[in-house]
Amino acid sequence: MKLEDKVALITGASRGIGKAIALKFSEEGAKIIINYNKSEQEAFKVFETIKNNGQEAYLMQADISKHIDIRNIIKNVMEECGKIDILVNNAGMVLRNSFFESNEESWSSIMDTNLKSAYFCSQIAAKEMLKRKTGSIINISSNSGIIPRKSKGIEYGISKAGMIYLTKSLALILAPYLRVNCIAPGWTETDMNIRFYNDAKARTDTENIIPLGRINKPEDIAKTALFLASDDSSNITGEIIIVDGGYNLKSLK
């Protein structure tokens, strides 16, 4: 197994991409820290699935938009497991408001949840990882952080672009002992987008503009995260892997 005896903290692991990563990592032998904020029932289902498969998991509630909660969850991981090998900064939110609809509250909500959390989770976890001179940090960004759009969600895109900058900077700061990489998914079947993807016409219209002809399953992102967490990518750091079926290439035409 590729992650045997590794301890992995995955933020926002109760649903969607975070859930898929938690399940995939557990299949490969990792002990999983399932972080959630409000989705307790969904988080418990992930916990039960992992335990029923004979793997080790821990449930840890925390609002990681708050610095004190981040400190506490890393402290709890160290007390329970004695180490942290892998951090996946996955927790995020989206507000589909336009530039002129945004305000200070919407800006702060997006930035605190998507970017501030990744920054301080990485900072506090990296201090523990560096004591053992090993570790992998994986940031879940979005192709929205790469491709400018006129559509709604500018604050979301800015926060995800920030995660890309953070990834490259931390790769330099934390080398040679820690690796820091990023996944930038395109459209993905998650609860965040379920209304859109349940609309047959909207789904077809979307898939028609993707070169490979389909949107992501959460498992597509989980498999990429496994690659970045494992020794298969032992000489890779500071990279942004776009998983969007080639949609980003359309901007090159």
Side-chain angles (χ1 to χ4, degrees):
M1 292 190 287
K2 294 184 177 182
L3 302 180
E4 190 169 6
D5 296 326
K6 300 290 187 182
V7 175
L9 168 60
I10 303 164
T11 67
S14 62
R15 298 182 295 178
I17 289 172
K19 173 184 175 180
I21 293 173
L23 296 177
K24 177 59 68 177
F25 282 17
S26 71
E27 290 172 4
E28 293 293 335
K31 300 176 183 179
I32 307 299
I33 313 300
I34 304 165
N35 162 249
Y36 69 97
N37 184 17
K38 297 177 181 178
S39 303
E40 183 176 9
Q41 290 185 341
E42 290 86 350
F44 186 73
K45 290 177 184 177
V46 179
F47 172 81
E48 280 192 317
T49 299
I50 292 173
K51 298 293 284 186
N52 289 339
N53 288 337
Q55 299 299 325
E56 198 168 342
Y58 302 84
L59 280 172
M60 293 192 184
Q61 190 279 334
D63 179 355
I64 58 159
S65 69
K66 298 178 180 177
H67 192 270
I68 188 170
D69 279 23
I70 296 172
R71 292 203 313 269
N72 286 338
I73 196 171
I74 301 296
K75 178 183 176 183
N76 290 339
V77 172
M78 296 306 297
E79 288 176 351
E80 291 286 347
C81 302
K83 65 173 183 173
I84 178 169
D85 298 293
I86 303 161
L87 168 66
V88 181
N89 288 310
N90 167 74
M93 64 175 293
V94 61
L95 295 174
R96 293 185 174 86
N97 50 346
S98 71
F99 174 62
F100 291 107
E101 291 170 333
S102 63
N103 53 45
E104 187 174 8
E105 182 180 357
S106 63
W107 172 272
S108 296
S109 295
I110 287 285
M111 295 302 162
D112 287 355
T113 302
N114 295 2
L115 186 55
K116 174 184 168 183
S117 66
Y119 185 96
F120 286 109
C121 280
S122 298
Q123 181 193 71
I124 298 171
K127 290 178 181 178
E128 299 298 337
M129 292 176 173
L130 286 172
K131 292 175 183 178
R132 301 176 59 248
K133 297 184 178 181
T134 183
S136 174
I137 297 174
I138 302 167
N139 294 322
I140 307 299
S141 179
S142 167
N143 67 357
S144 295
I146 299 170
I147 307 168
R149 293 189 175 97
K150 293 174 65 176
S151 58
K152 295 183 177 182
I154 185 171
E155 295 157 309
Y156 175 79
I158 292 170
S159 72
K160 293 302 187 178
M163 291 186 77
I164 291 171
Y165 180 90
L166 177 65
T167 298
K168 292 179 176 291
S169 295
L170 291 185
L172 293 172
I173 292 167
L174 301 176
Y177 301 115
L178 309 186
R179 297 185 299 110
V180 186
N181 291 289
C182 181
I183 304 172
W187 285 289
T188 306
E189 287 185 7
T190 64
D191 291 348
M192 189 182 294
N193 300 309
I194 194 162
R195 290 183 181 177
F196 176 73
Y197 296 128
N198 279 345
D199 183 321
K201 183 180 185 304
R203 185 186 185 104
T204 299
D205 289 347
T206 299
E207 292 180 335
N208 283 340
I209 61 174
I210 297 174
L212 291 184
R214 70 171 180 89
I215 61 177
N216 293 323
K217 300 283 189 181
E219 291 75 20
D220 293 318
I221 315 306
K223 291 174 184 177
T224 308
L226 174 61
F227 168 71
L228 293 174
S230 73
D231 288 340
D232 289 345
S233 60
S234 61
N235 203 35
I236 297 175
T237 195
E239 291 301 318
I240 315 303
I241 300 180
I242 305 172
V243 184
D244 69 356
Y247 175 80
N248 69 93
L249 300 175
K250 295 177 71 65
S251 65
L252 301 177
K253 289 183 177 180

